[in-house]
Amino acid sequence: MRTIFVQRMLRRRVAGRVSSVILLAVTPAVLAQVAVDPLVSTTSGPAAVAPATQPLAPSTQPGTLPAVLPATGPSAAPATRPATPATVPAVVPVSDPQTTAKVNALIERLADADWKARKRASDELERLGEPAEPALKESLARKDLLPDARTAIEVILKQSSERKRTGATLVTLDVKQVDPLKAISAILEQGNLTLTQEAKDLLGQKSATRLDVHLDRQPLWSALAKVGREAGVGFTGLADNQVALAPLTDAAGATDKIAGPAAEDGPFALCIQRVEVTVRKIKDFAGVRGGGGNPMANAFVSPPVRLSVAAWAEPRVKPGTWMLDSIPECTTDKGKTLNAQIYSYGRNAKTNDGSSTYVTISGDTDGAKVIAAMTVKARFVLNWNTEVFEVDNCQAANEVTKIIGGNRVVLKSVKKVGNDNWTYEVVIHRDTRTPEEWTTLQQIVDRAGCRVVDADGKTLQQRGSGSSWGGDELRINGTLAQGNGTGEPKKLTWELPGKIEMLPATFVYKNIPLP
């Protein structure tokens, strides 16, 4: 019975949010579910970890933050970092004697004759999370540890390591009567993030507000949404590790000054930047943008609804591009089911630069005030490292071949095509990649760009580029121009993903307002 239990547990846990790491290849993992109200998100699924059973003691002085907080995020700051008036330093957690004693007792129960007792002990150890790790690791050195217990502990530690690498930063904060700026700054610091100056100014206007914050291993974006709601602000974007916020309401009713609907799953967040029906019926929301959409493109006689969405991710997971896969659910407050379509030209975009991806929705929206429920399934590419394809004296280059991330990359030529204009051609070969791996590589490369410099290191201007692919090769062509004192091309460099990973995510929205 014990062996059967361990085998089942291994299958169940390893099938959690642990996706395969590959070189320029991708294997999807299981999806995690998220449920959000407009502007606020809550998490369920593998990315969220149940709270520890030992809560933090509340702050001793109302209106102040404790000098030390146990942070369970994967990128916590050193414990010796001093507290400042606006932030709280994150501290790497260390098991206290009480936690250690509890963990040791649970370890003994992993060898219980009753499989239900073993399962309860395993679940509780997993729920305790990072504070239990020191005692778990020490137990592996015990010679009297039974094989079933050893296997269970190894599985728990592996899952914990994977969760810290690709899961959400888990925030722990327990303070009373603090102003919103201090509370939100303390949350973000545990993910090594800060606020933009505009966000600080916005929260500074709410200094008279006092919040009681009780977070125990809460995913970062979920924690921000929860406390932001209480403070009347919402997440709108991220730039240079700085989080942008906007009010949830505007006295004049201007939607372009308020945060749009947002949803999150693990380390990822998806924000709606615009909802449009026609050129005259548009709701623009506040936020960081990589380029505005064109509402004229939606001025049909019988128009569908079009949503402009942007994706954000915790920078520590090395986000690259993201892709919309499907919209399996989309209904209005009138109970009408809508048909959501994702067109190939706009289904993928860069993460963390505000680039828009569009969802076009057709169906009966007459009399509807909101899209009551919408589920979005997407995939995020993580670039854990990059490799550089570099060719010096590129004008003279002819069929220069290098291996990048396991693929042959060939610079065919760099040619002059007129006064101060140049073209280049690069080919990437499929080699042994599977169809799924090859498709993913094409999507990633489409968002990467080469850099060509002159003898002084000045960059030539990119005037345009395009790509085409057949069964076995991806061909990229681009046009360059000399300008602003740049000379002729000397060196071509191209940063391409080496070790990458793709994680699936599911976002659930409720009550998206229609214009």
Side-chain angles (χ1 to χ4, degrees):
M1 288 294 291
R2 295 182 183 178
T3 302
I4 293 174
F5 161 69
V6 172
Q7 289 174 342
R8 288 177 178 172
M9 179 183 63
L10 279 167
R11 286 196 295 267
R12 174 174 62 84
R13 294 189 180 171
V14 173
R17 188 159 190 158
V18 183
S19 54
S20 299
V21 178
I22 52 179
L23 295 179
L24 288 175
V26 176
T27 301
V30 297
L31 296 172
Q33 294 292 332
V34 181
V36 297
D37 290 326
L39 314 172
V40 181
S41 56
T42 59
T43 299
S44 62
V49 181
T53 56
Q54 300 298 327
L56 297 175
S59 47
T60 55
Q61 297 179 7
T64 64
L65 290 170
V68 178
L69 283 178
T72 54
S75 304
T80 56
R81 191 173 178 180
T84 65
T87 60
V88 176
V91 180
V92 177
V94 178
S95 289
D96 57 76
Q98 186 177 1
T99 300
T100 301
K102 181 173 184 177
V103 171
N104 288 334
L106 290 169
I107 290 173
E108 295 302 320
R109 287 165 54 191
L110 289 174
D112 196 283
D114 183 358
W115 71 269
K116 293 181 180 179
R118 295 197 303 272
K119 184 180 185 304
R120 286 194 297 267
S122 177
D123 290 345
E124 181 64 15
L125 285 169
E126 188 174 355
R127 192 171 72 90
L128 282 172
E130 194 170 353
E133 288 185 17
L136 287 173
K137 291 177 181 178
E138 288 179 9
S139 71
L140 292 176
R142 289 172 43 183
K143 294 182 179 180
D144 63 338
L145 191 65
L146 292 178
D148 284 1
R150 183 178 300 277
T151 301
I153 292 169
E154 289 173 347
V155 170
I156 292 168
L157 289 174
K158 182 177 180 180
Q159 285 293 95
S160 177
S161 175
E162 184 67 15
R163 187 163 46 244
K164 286 187 287 185
R165 187 177 68 84
T166 63
T169 295
L170 300 180
V171 174
T172 296
L173 184 63
D174 194 9
V175 292
K176 293 183 178 180
Q177 294 300 294
V178 295
D179 67 70
L181 176 58
K182 290 181 180 179
I184 290 178
S185 295
I187 290 169
L188 295 178
E189 185 170 321
Q190 295 189 41
N192 286 336
L193 299 173
T194 61
L195 290 164
T196 64
Q197 187 58 52
E198 292 79 5
K200 291 178 182 178
D201 294 341
L202 173 63
L203 292 173
Q205 299 171 14
K206 302 174 180 293
S207 58
T209 302
R210 286 292 179 265
L211 303 176
D212 292 342
V213 180
H214 306 288
L215 302 171
D216 194 351
R217 297 174 59 78
Q218 186 84 3
L220 177 69
W221 297 133
S222 178
L224 175 62
K226 180 178 184 297
V227 176
R229 182 183 185 181
E230 296 175 6
V233 299
F235 171 75
T236 61
L238 179 69
D240 299 324
N241 288 355
Q242 293 185 327
V243 169
L245 303 173
L248 295 183
T249 59
D250 180 71
T255 59
D256 61 349
K257 298 184 184 300
I258 66 173
E264 60 88 20
D265 182 5
F268 309 117
L270 206 60
C271 296
I272 295 178
Q273 298 176 315
R274 163 182 284 171
V275 181
E276 63 183 53
V277 178
T278 69
V279 68
R280 295 181 179 86
K281 295 182 68 177
I282 298 172
K283 283 186 182 292
D284 267 327
F285 298 102
V288 180
R289 297 178 186 273
N294 178 15
M296 288 297 293
N298 202 27
F300 302 108
V301 175
S302 299
V305 176
R306 192 168 74 167
L307 307 178
S308 172
V309 296
W312 310 94
E314 292 188 45
R316 65 174 182 79
V317 300
K318 308 295 183 184
T321 59
W322 74 286
M323 282 153 274
L324 279 171
D325 282 337
S326 64
I327 313 289
E329 178 190 26
C330 190
T331 58
T332 71
D333 54 338
K334 295 295 184 179
K336 300 292 185 179
T337 298
L338 304 178
N339 178 38
Q341 295 179 317
I342 306 166
Y343 294 102
S344 59
Y345 68 86
R347 72 181 307 122
N348 69 307
K350 286 184 178 180
T351 306
N352 284 3
D353 76 343
S355 295
S356 296
T357 295
Y358 297 101
V359 177
T360 300
I361 301 169
S362 59
D364 184 2
T365 58
D366 289 346
K369 294 182 178 180
V370 298
I371 297 175
M374 184 177 76
T375 301
V376 177
K377 292 188 176 182
R379 286 174 291 161
F380 287 78
V381 175
L382 310 184
N383 296 336
W384 288 105
N385 75 314
T386 58
E387 296 183 28
V388 180
F389 176 68
E390 182 175 288
V391 180
D392 204 359
N393 194 20
C394 58
Q395 283 190 54
N398 182 30
E399 300 286 338
V400 177
T401 302
K402 297 187 178 183
I403 304 299
I404 302 294
N407 287 84
R408 284 179 297 147
V409 182
V410 183
L411 174 61
K412 305 291 285 188
S413 63
V414 176
K415 297 179 180 179
K416 193 168 187 176
V417 291
N419 293 332
D420 299 331
N421 291 319
W422 302 77
T423 62
Y424 64 87
E425 183 178 22
V426 178
V427 175
I428 299 178
H429 291 271
R430 173 179 172 178
D431 295 331
T432 61
R433 300 302 171 192
T434 66
E436 182 182 47
E437 294 168 355
W438 184 230
T439 299
T440 301
L441 175 58
Q442 292 165 6
Q443 294 169 333
I444 296 170
V445 169
D446 275 349
R447 292 291 172 174
C450 74
R451 179 171 180 257
V452 179
V453 300
D454 64 11
D456 296 325
K458 296 180 180 178
T459 303
L460 276 73
Q461 299 174 359
Q462 286 275 2
R463 285 292 179 87
S465 64
S467 62
S468 61
W469 56 84
D472 295 316
E473 66 178 31
L474 171 62
R475 191 173 297 268
I476 301 99
N477 297 278
T479 303
L480 304 166
Q482 295 173 233
N484 299 324
T486 55
E488 294 187 348
K490 172 63 176 174
K491 179 187 292 185
L492 180 147
T493 59
W494 197 0
E495 287 192 1
L496 295 170
K499 179 183 177 183
I500 67 170
E501 187 173 7
M502 182 171 284
L503 294 181
T506 297
F507 304 92
V508 178
Y509 292 89
K510 293 182 179 179
N511 300 324
I512 300 171
L514 293 172

